Amino acid sequence: MNGTWDPTTKGVLTLPSGRLVRGRGLRNPLPTGQTPEFALYLRGRQPPSVAWEARWVRWPDFWLPSDRPEFAASLRELLERATDERVEVACGGGFGRTGTALACLVVLDGIPNEEAVAYVRRHYSHRAVETPWQRRFVGRFA
């Protein structure tokens, strides 16, 4: 089952390294087709269980991760696994927390902090990263 996403799939972000990550909103139905092999879920409360391996980071809507070192470690794991697995990042709507995580992910993948939000808005969704403190978080993420 190991593989990567079809880059034309809705919500799939191509990182600067060429790795692919799907972002989505958990309030929406699961997209048809391929399922993730690993997922990082960003929610204020634990999401329902899924048939694939997943991590949950407590992150209330419109805010920042409750445990920032745990978030950073989970994001680094997701980036590594994106090399040869289908990975996804998801929150409730798929824009604020997911967009913020994707922006942090592109920082880890080599885009300068000050360009990360624009990169994700251009290549994932113009609605990504919803609050000023989420933008500041990306700007300071290392």
Side-chain angles (χ1 to χ4, degrees), residues 34-121:
Q34 297 175 308
T35 57
E37 295 166 286
F38 178 75
L40 177 58
Y41 295 129
L42 313 168
R43 302 212 13 146
R45 62 178 184 260
Q46 189 166 1
S49 62
V50 291
W52 46 87
E53 188 177 354
R55 301 269 182 282
W56 167 54
V57 172
R58 184 180 304 277
W59 188 334
D61 201 7
F62 297 106
W63 292 100
L64 297 173
S66 299
D67 186 335
R68 293 176 190 172
E70 177 189 1
F71 167 70
S74 296
L75 206 57
R76 284 182 175 86
E77 178 183 2
L78 183 127
L79 180 62
E80 180 61 34
R81 293 178 77 153
T83 301
D84 60 4
E85 295 180 51
R86 287 185 304 278
V87 299
E88 78 173 1
V89 176
C91 64
F95 300 108
R97 294 166 286 184
T98 296
T100 303
L102 290 173
C104 291
L105 198 59
V106 302
V107 168
L108 292 176
D109 204 46
I111 294 287
N113 293 62
E114 62 276 6
E115 297 173 23
V117 172
Y119 183 94
V120 172
R121 286 180 174 168

Side-chain angles (χ1 to χ4, degrees), residues 6 19 41 131:
D6 173 349
R19 296 178 221 184
Y41 295 129
T131 68

